[in-house]
Amino acid sequence: PSVVIIGAGIAGIAAARALQDRGIEVTLLESSARIGGRIHTDKSSLTTAGGTAVPVDMGASWIHGATPGHNPIATAALDVLQLATHQTAGEGSLLYDHDVQRGFALYTRDGVRIPRDTVRQFESWLRAAVEAERRDARYESDASLEDTINRMVAEHKLQGSVDEEILGFYVCRIEGWFAADSSRISPKSWIEEEFHEGGHLLVSKGYSQLVESLARGIDIRLEHRAVRVTQQMPCLGICSKPHVQVSCKNGFEIRADAAIVAVPLGILQSNVIDFQPELPEWKREAISSLEVGHQNKIALLFESLFWDEDAEFLGCATAAPRGCSYFLSLYPTLRRAVLVYMPVGELSRRIERMGDEEATAFAMEKVRAMLPGAPDPVSSLISRWSLDENFLCCYSNDPSPNGSDLFERMAMPASELLYFAGEASSPDFSGTVHGAYESGVAAAEQIVESLS
């Protein structure tokens, strides 16, 4: 038996690995010139004044839930490959903060560092407010996270203006988790978010190590952009054996017993792949109803360190909409003076349309709001996921106020010949690397069952 897989991200590679290990012939088609999809460690663009390249993950960064046995990515990275990692948070980190209490420097927009005790007092308020939400399920009547936050503030009085600014920062962090503005985030998704155990890890020398290892020995065709998927369904009378044929933009065509579509949601929504016959209505509705998230990175490399060397995050707090910012410091991981700015939502879309110099200057304005007098970077690097024709998005988001079955429908086969994988096909862990990986393995298992 043979299977063709479209998309060499972690989902497609996981599916290929699982199928090939079962003795099934696999061909993996990738539209871009590299594997990994939205996992991308740039190893050459960010350079010191002396020309030394510093690796930086411009897509996925974290292993969320670093306990082998629970999270398959943690198992592969830690137990199998024994990759060097750096833990940014342990158990119990609050609402996507990656353990703000342990390695964090939060500033006002005037460059004044907010005392850690003040942040802890705010966190106590937020924990209590969220627990009240979970207990009373009041969030179920709200249309968005923005509505929930506004009501929480009204019902649970904050201490003062500084707390409102800290709240603005935390909302900014939550938006970063969902890659969407708060007005487009489901309150249910926020309140009921699930995690694997074990805290959060960065892969020290880049996430691409994991992808490259998993992909060894797989037949991967780079720069093969699939443009048509044709299913020859079972029929009565005389007809050929049921099969799938995939046609690529470069003229390459391949026929197989089944296919897995493991491309980003943005690609599916753009209709750049022609499905014949067209996908069933329930699948098309799921594709169109989910939203694509937008988040990018601006990596800034400096000649030397000028911030707290123990800080994992630097943040600027303000109650003004879109006024907050946060930076990941890679110094604890790489021992290099690198800050990574991560704008989200419409701000991210606006920044990725800037030129490199303008985008770098915008990020430096945010740095200097926290640390006046910060020097210019010696090198910078900007991602533009929403504009890249191979992706057209960061990752998926379900804005439905009370949740829906959209991710479940995305995970279901469209027919006995056509299967789907990717982070948008993960019912429990959408938007994550382990969710994408698990979806690929699940699609492979569905095919094995159907072919047996």
Side-chain angles (χ1 to χ4, degrees), residues 6-318:
I6 304 172
I10 190 70
I13 290 172
R17 181 90 277 147
L19 290 168
Q20 194 160 289
D21 288 348
R22 297 288 191 95
I24 294 175
E25 181 182 338
V26 176
T27 304
L28 209 167
L29 307 176
E30 169 55 42
S31 63
S32 71
R34 62 172 181 81
I35 64 172
R38 287 163 285 176
I39 296 175
H40 176 44
T41 306
D42 190 299
K43 302 175 183 178
S44 61
S45 302
L46 201 66
T47 57
T48 66
T52 301
V54 178
V56 59
D57 280 315
M58 298 304 290
S61 293
W62 277 274
I63 299 174
H64 295 294
T67 303
H70 290 82
N71 183 338
I73 296 299
T75 300
L78 301 178
D79 285 356
V80 179
L81 302 177
Q82 298 184 342
L83 300 179
T85 59
H86 175 78
Q87 186 165 9
T88 64
E91 293 285 359
S93 56
L94 173 67
L95 300 173
Y96 329 122
D97 64 10
H98 301 268
D99 202 2
V100 162
Q101 289 188 5
R102 186 174 69 178
F104 184 66
L106 185 60
Y107 298 83
T108 69
R109 55 184 169 181
D110 299 320
V112 177
R113 186 163 180 174
I114 299 173
R116 185 163 294 184
D117 287 345
T118 302
V119 177
R120 286 174 175 161
Q121 290 172 6
F122 169 81
E123 287 179 347
S124 296
W125 171 86
L126 185 57
R127 286 181 187 274
V130 171
E131 285 306 314
E133 290 291 323
R134 290 189 178 125
R135 185 171 56 251
D136 300 334
R138 286 171 292 182
Y139 61 90
E140 293 182 356
S141 63
D142 296 328
S144 69
L145 170 65
E146 184 176 50
D147 295 333
T148 300
I149 294 294
N150 290 336
R151 185 174 47 72
M152 286 169 56
V153 171
E155 294 179 358
H156 304 273
K157 188 175 181 180
L158 292 174
Q159 296 297 317
S161 59
V162 173
D163 280 358
E164 291 180 5
E165 292 179 352
I166 299 174
L167 173 64
F169 172 78
Y170 270 78
V171 172
C172 183
R173 288 291 297 119
I174 297 168
E175 289 177 333
W177 181 267
F178 289 98
D181 295 330
S182 59
S183 61
R184 305 302 305 166
I185 297 172
S186 159
K188 181 181 178 68
S189 297
W190 176 54
I191 296 292
E192 300 182 11
E193 181 76 13
E194 295 183 14
F195 298 93
H196 280 303
E197 298 176 355
H200 311 276
L201 295 179
L202 294 172
V203 182
S204 299
K205 294 183 179 180
Y207 230 134
S208 290
Q209 297 174 95
L210 177 66
V211 174
E212 291 160 1
S213 178
L214 289 172
R216 288 186 188 127
I218 297 173
D219 180 10
I220 301 177
R221 313 291 178 91
L222 299 178
E223 298 182 305
H224 280 58
R225 183 183 305 280
V227 294
R228 183 177 297 107
V229 177
T230 305
Q231 300 178 69
Q232 177 62 60
M233 306 298 289
C235 60
L236 297 175
I238 300 174
C239 66
S240 62
K241 175 185 175 183
H243 65 271
V244 176
Q245 181 160 311
V246 179
S247 303
C248 295
K249 187 176 181 179
N250 63 4
F252 177 81
E253 293 188 343
I254 185 170
R255 174 172 164 168
D257 295 311
I260 298 176
V261 179
V263 301
L265 177 64
I267 297 298
L268 292 174
Q269 290 186 345
S270 68
N271 296 315
V272 296
I273 301 176
D274 177 29
F275 291 95
Q276 295 294 333
E278 70 176 350
L279 298 175
E281 183 179 358
W282 59 265
K283 177 68 81 171
R284 287 184 279 119
E285 182 183 16
I287 291 170
S288 63
S289 297
L290 286 174
E291 290 193 353
V292 292
H294 303 290
Q295 184 178 47
N296 280 289
K297 293 183 177 181
I298 302 178
L300 306 167
L301 172 63
F302 298 92
E303 190 67 37
S304 60
L305 192 71
F306 57 90
W307 61 90
D308 183 351
E309 69 176 37
D310 295 326
E312 307 281 359
F313 277 91
L314 284 75
C316 183
T318 170

Side-chain angles (χ1 to χ4, degrees), residues 423-435:
E423 56 83 16
S425 297
S426 172
D428 297 322
F429 300 110
S430 62
T432 67
V433 174
H434 58 270

